[in-house]
Amino acid sequence: MTDRAVTRRRRASVRTLLVIFGGVTVLLLGGLWVGRGVDRASAVSDAPKTEKAQKERADRSAAVEVGGTGELPGVRDCGYGEPLREPKIITLTCATGATVASDIEWDEYSTDRAEGYGVVQVSSGANGSARTSFPARLTLSAPRTVDGMTAFTSLEVAYTGLTPAGKTTETYSIA
């Protein structure tokens, strides 16, 4: 009788191990599959959708290559490094890094101003764990030569919905 009880326990523990192993395998494979799907989705959303969009993208890249006096200004992240043209992310509060404009799509990008839309993310709580997002219209202006490079020095954020601290518009110095 004792031998039968031991055999049943071993079968139960082997079954339990197989079920755990199968569950972990399914979770890992599912994560890989979802991750690849997200990569494909972002590649599709980044691609121009129409002939007009493709032409505008080509015109922009040609304008960037021209250089000289008509050079398009960029944005220096917290005043450091080389200016980036049409950045997707801009840090707004450099001291803490708690406020960031992200997912920026530029409608217009010229030598004197740039306009687009994005999401302003505000982190709060311990270690920035609580993150709140606010849709906004972004306007870069006041291009200046900074350290020998042309860069925008001002960013106006006009919130399109709910706003942090009840302000509908904020202006940041981004030199």
Side-chain angles (χ1 to χ4, degrees), residues 72-146:
L72 291 175
V75 175
R76 297 176 67 194
D77 193 28
C78 292
Y80 296 104
E82 244 181 85
L84 297 175
R85 291 181 186 93
E86 299 189 37
K88 298 289 183 189
I89 298 172
I90 301 173
T91 305
L92 302 178
T93 55
C94 295
T96 62
T99 307
V100 176
S102 65
D103 299 326
I104 303 171
E105 294 293 328
W106 299 102
D107 295 330
E108 173 193 336
Y109 203 94
S110 65
T111 56
D112 62 336
R113 73 187 282 118
E115 292 185 11
Y117 58 93
V119 176
V120 174
Q121 297 180 352
V122 179
S123 299
S124 59
N127 297 325
S129 57
R131 205 171 265 266
T132 310
S133 299
F134 303 95
R137 185 95 183 130
L138 307 167
T139 304
L140 291 168
S141 61
R144 304 272 185 272
T145 300
V146 181

